[in-house]
Amino acid sequence: MDHHYDPQQTNDYMQPEEDWDRDLLLDPAWEKQQRKTFTAWCNSHLRKAGTQIENIEEDFRDGLKLMLLLEVISGERLAKPERGKMRVHKISNVNKALDYIASKGVKLVSIGAEEIVDGNVKMTLGMIWTIILRFAIQDISVEETSAKEGLLLWCQRKTAPYKNVNIQNFHISWKDGLGFCALIHRHRPELIDYGKLRKDDPLTNLNTAFDVAEKYLDIPKMLDAEDIVGTARPDEKAIMTYVSSFYHAFSGAQKAETAANRICKVLAVNQENEQLMEDYEKLASDLLEWIRRTIPWLENRAPENTMQAMQQKLEDFRDYRRLHKPPKVQEKCQLEINFNTLQTKLRLSNRPAFMPSEGKMVSDINNAWGGLEQAEKGYEEWLLNEIRRLERLDHLAEKFRQKASIHESWTDGKEAMLQQKDYETATLSEIKALLKKHEAFESDLAAHQDRVEQIAAIAQELNELDYYDSPSVNARCQKICDQWDNLGALTQKRREALERTEKLLETIDQLYLEYAKRAAPFNNWMEGAMEDLQDTFIVHTIEEIQGLTTAHEQFKATLPDADKERQAILGIHNEVSKIVQTYHVNMAGTNPYTTITPQEINGKWEHVRQLVPRRDQALMEEHARQQQNERLRKQFGAQANVIGPWIQTKMEEIGRISIEMHGTLEDQLNHLRQYEKSIVNYKPKIDQLEGDHQQIQEALIFDNKHTNYTMEVNILQCLFLQCNASSSDTLRPCLKEFSASARRLPQHLFRRQQSILQHYRVGEYSIIHFLLRL
């Protein structure tokens, strides 16, 4: 869509509209109409982009749909919007939209992005109205008039042939609905049976027009018939926006019709202008005369002595407002409408502006009307003050009785409630609840302070005005004040008692918590100690038993401190008992923070004390056993360290004999027999070593740091010596025993035996080979 316009013309037109906004947007009825109309207008364009809005001041806050709306109605692309959710992103998007509007020559006054983002209803509606003006109304051109005047003239031209339709503005001229129906019927007569419409049924007319426009003309329903009929002056912006949709829907037909009727209308307009001038002069004269007659009556302040007379004056004043003034208000409104319509027609016809007679300008009428309303306001205030003056005494007396009754009803039972001692048997949580309840009562009490003061003030005023029943009023007031003082004293006393009890229970609660915090780890320590003291230990060296003994001694060294901790924990419990006994506190239940009782702590402590000497005895016995084992190790080591080298030496000598083989065979055999004899003679020592080894095995001793020799290796070597030094008669048994002994060895010792056999393998010249050959 190409929007060609004059920026200066736009600025000239927008300025009065902005002033009009600041004055009229505060009317709730108009705001409601604008909300609905502007929302529907926006949605009629946004639906082209597949979206819509529900709440006009909320849905435009992030600027996204606002930018989309401008793109749809302008056919141009705006700057890329921000997609963030932060306030700064929303402000940036709205600023982009406002900058685009400003770039079209539209002057934005008092409309900022922050207000749109904050959901300012007035500014949001003002912004949308600016967009509607620029893109939907400004480009309307009818008979050399444009924008608002052009749209009004178009409506007048289209509805001129229709009965009871007189479009002079964009507010009350549309209230009966015939204007909308006439626009539709003029262009699409098949859609509405205009002859059946009645001017006295505006709701039907409006709903018919709205429904037909929405169903057949694709014009969304932007107004509610009830809102238009129920408003003295419908919102001009809402009507103008809706009517502009009809203009754009029928613009093609309008242009053709306008060209055909332009000449015919000129003369009629001139005649109508003359008639409007005459009507204005007469209506202004009549209205000013009525104002001049009415003001003296409103300024009459002659007082009356009776309530009945004042009530009659008040009723006359109400009749004036209800019956006489409303028609004059309508006349004044119509006068302004006629004047504005006339000036518009003259300006559109390039005729000089209408200048009423002296004293009959719209401003003169407004000034006279302002004087009327000022006199009216003063008269009403005087009437009410006079009626109040006469009613004051009876009213004060009744007010005193009502307030006194309400107060006495409220105080009933309060003293008994404040004297209760329910806190003496309450738990801490119940005390806190009672305190909160008492605080609520104190707030309630403070709230009633004002009523008591009012009662006293009313009684004082009744005394000053010499009320006939002042003695009874004074007696009742004094009773209320005395009772109020007593309630204050009882309230303070109960608060002190509740706070004192709360403090005691909080102290007990803290002691309970401290007891629980210290009892739990101490209980765990005792359970761990009992578990350790009863734990079965397995040791193999004296060093290990000494380590256990040292650890046990260290544990025993901690027992005095542990006993102090136990006494401290029990002291906490005793402190609770002392507080309970001293202040007669009722303790409901046990410690809420733990299930560990002092009896349980004492029982476990006594068990620990009994287990300590048992552990001492077990460690002593084990220490004696390990000492015996150490003696066996040393005894075996001393013998093994002697026998082992002797066997090694003999094996080396026999090895040399088998290799050197000096002398005759008989000499060598003799030599071997001598070695055999020495080995046999040495066997008792080996047997003794075997006996010690048997004791070590029975004692389950698996290592010996006093020697590197083991019984298995010594026996193996000894058997080997016997084999090498034996004669042929004893050789075979020796070899058999040697082999059997080797198989009983662990795997690593068996491999060592194989290494020995390899070293002393039976060769061609070995003594064993020689003996076997014998």
Side-chain angles (χ1 to χ4, degrees), residues 82-205:
E82 301 285 345
R83 293 295 177 180
K85 300 298 183 181
M86 298 176 63
R87 178 180 173 82
V88 65
H89 297 137
K90 298 178 181 179
I91 292 176
S92 175
N93 290 336
V94 176
N95 272 324
K96 290 176 182 177
L98 295 180
D99 291 342
Y100 177 81
I101 296 172
S103 71
K104 296 301 180 181
V106 179
K107 183 179 179 183
L108 298 170
V109 179
S110 301
I111 299 178
E114 291 79 5
E115 294 168 314
I116 304 301
V117 172
D118 291 338
N120 187 306
V121 178
K122 176 181 177 181
M123 293 304 171
T124 302
L125 293 175
M127 177 190 67
I128 299 301
W129 172 240
T130 301
I131 294 173
I132 293 172
L133 277 177
R134 171 60 186 85
F135 294 98
I137 297 177
Q138 180 177 317
D139 292 337
I140 294 175
S141 178
V142 179
E143 297 182 8
E144 299 180 354
T145 62
S146 60
K148 178 180 178 181
E149 290 82 0
L151 183 61
L152 181 63
L153 184 58
W154 178 80
C155 295
Q156 292 170 342
R157 295 288 184 267
K158 293 298 179 181
T159 60
Y162 291 84
K163 179 182 178 181
N164 294 332
V165 177
N166 183 18
I167 304 300
Q168 300 297 330
N169 50 56
F170 288 105
H171 35 83
I172 62 175
S173 294
W174 302 87
K175 286 188 64 174
D176 58 11
L178 293 177
F180 294 107
C181 293
L183 285 178
I184 297 173
H185 186 266
R186 178 65 180 271
H187 296 88
R188 297 287 300 276
E190 75 278 8
L191 298 179
I192 292 180
D193 188 353
Y194 190 84
K196 293 183 177 180
L197 301 178
R198 302 200 321 268
K199 188 175 182 64
D200 60 351
D201 190 8
L203 282 176
T204 301
N205 300 338

Side-chain angles (χ1 to χ4, degrees), residues 738-757:
F738 178 82
S739 177
S741 299
R743 289 190 181 94
R744 293 195 301 272
L745 294 175
Q747 187 66 26
H748 69 285
L749 294 178
F750 182 73
R751 287 195 295 269
R752 183 178 177 189
Q753 175 265 347
Q754 288 179 324
S755 177
I756 295 172
L757 285 178

Side-chain angles (χ1 to χ4, degrees), residues 37 43 57 68 186 216 264 282 397 561 563 596 602 743:
T37 303
N43 285 334
E57 70 268 22
L68 181 61
R186 178 65 180 271
Y216 298 102
C264 298
K282 183 177 185 309
D561 292 337
D563 190 38
I596 302 172
N602 285 331
R743 289 190 181 94

Side-chain angles (χ1 to χ4, degrees), residues 706-725:
H706 301 292
T707 181
N708 292 326
Y709 294 99
T710 63
M711 194 62 206
E712 289 82 359
V713 175
N714 288 338
I715 293 173
L716 193 63
Q717 291 174 344
C718 183
L719 289 174
F720 187 76
L721 284 174
Q722 290 179 359
C723 290
N724 276 306

Side-chain angles (χ1 to χ4, degrees), residues 434-449:
L434 287 174
L435 266 171
K436 291 185 179 298
K437 182 178 179 181
H438 190 71
E439 289 173 358
F441 173 77
E442 288 178 329
S443 299
D444 195 13
L445 188 70
H448 281 76
Q449 174 69 32

Side-chain angles (χ1 to χ4, degrees), residues 390-493:
L390 297 174
E391 291 177 340
R392 186 64 177 168
L393 282 175
D394 290 340
H395 173 72
L396 283 175
E398 180 61 26
K399 187 175 181 180
F400 175 84
R401 286 189 292 271
Q402 289 180 354
K403 287 185 175 294
S405 298
I406 293 172
H407 178 78
E408 289 165 351
S409 175
W410 179 82
T411 57
D412 185 31
K414 294 295 188 296
E415 291 174 306
M417 182 270 291
L418 291 172
Q419 292 174 342
Q420 289 180 347
K421 295 187 177 182
D422 47 355
Y423 52 83
E424 292 182 350
T425 58
T427 62
L428 179 58
S429 60
E430 292 171 342
I431 283 293
K432 291 184 178 296
L434 287 174
L435 266 171
K436 291 185 179 298
K437 182 178 179 181
H438 190 71
E439 289 173 358
F441 173 77
E442 288 178 329
S443 299
D444 195 13
L445 188 70
H448 281 76
Q449 174 69 32
D450 184 56
R451 177 177 286 118
V452 175
E453 293 175 354
Q454 290 176 4
I455 290 171
I458 294 171
Q460 178 65 26
E461 188 171 357
L462 287 171
N463 280 288
E464 293 173 355
L465 296 175
D466 296 328
Y467 181 58
Y468 73 95
D469 198 18
S470 292
S472 63
V473 170
N474 293 336
R476 192 172 184 182
C477 180
Q478 186 61 44
K479 181 180 178 181
I480 290 173
C481 291
D482 293 342
Q483 185 185 38
W484 184 255
D485 293 339
N486 188 40
L487 284 175
L490 291 175
T491 300
Q492 181 62 26
K493 183 178 179 181

Side-chain angles (χ1 to χ4, degrees), residues 550-696:
T550 300
H552 183 64
E553 292 300 325
Q554 291 175 351
F555 168 74
K556 291 197 295 182
T558 64
L559 290 178
D561 292 337
D563 190 38
K564 291 180 181 178
E565 177 64 12
R566 179 183 67 87
Q567 293 177 2
I569 294 171
L570 297 178
I572 295 173
H573 185 270
N574 293 335
E575 182 66 20
V576 173
S577 300
K578 183 179 178 181
I579 293 174
V580 169
Q581 294 175 0
T582 302
Y583 295 99
H584 305 291
V585 179
N586 178 38
M587 295 304 298
T590 57
N591 191 329
Y593 301 108
T594 182
T595 58
I596 302 172
T597 63
Q599 294 78 10
E600 185 177 353
I601 291 175
N602 285 331
K604 289 182 179 180
W605 175 255
E606 187 61 31
H607 192 199
V608 169
R609 291 184 56 193
Q610 293 173 2
L611 290 174
V612 169
R614 297 179 190 174
R615 187 71 167 185
D616 288 337
Q617 182 63 30
L619 290 172
M620 288 174 62
E621 292 175 357
E622 182 62 25
H623 189 270
R625 191 174 72 84
Q626 290 300 327
Q627 284 181 331
Q628 176 63 18
N629 290 348
E630 185 66 14
R631 184 187 63 77
L632 290 174
R633 288 190 186 94
K634 290 180 179 180
Q635 180 177 322
F636 176 84
Q639 294 182 38
N641 289 336
V642 173
I643 294 173
W646 178 85
I647 294 173
Q648 185 69 30
T649 302
K650 293 301 180 183
M651 290 177 65
E652 292 173 358
E653 289 176 358
I654 293 173
R656 287 195 297 272
I657 293 173
S658 65
I659 294 172
E660 294 175 1
M661 302 191 73
H662 296 297
T664 66
L665 179 59
E666 185 177 355
D667 292 337
Q668 292 179 20
L669 287 173
N670 290 332
H671 198 184
L672 285 173
R673 289 189 182 97
Q674 291 176 5
Y675 272 103
E676 180 183 13
K677 183 178 181 180
S678 65
I679 290 171
V680 171
N681 293 335
Y682 203 80
K683 190 173 185 302
K685 294 183 178 180
I686 294 175
D687 293 339
Q688 183 180 355
L689 183 65
E690 176 66 20
D692 293 341
H693 175 67
Q694 182 66 28
Q695 294 182 20
I696 286 176

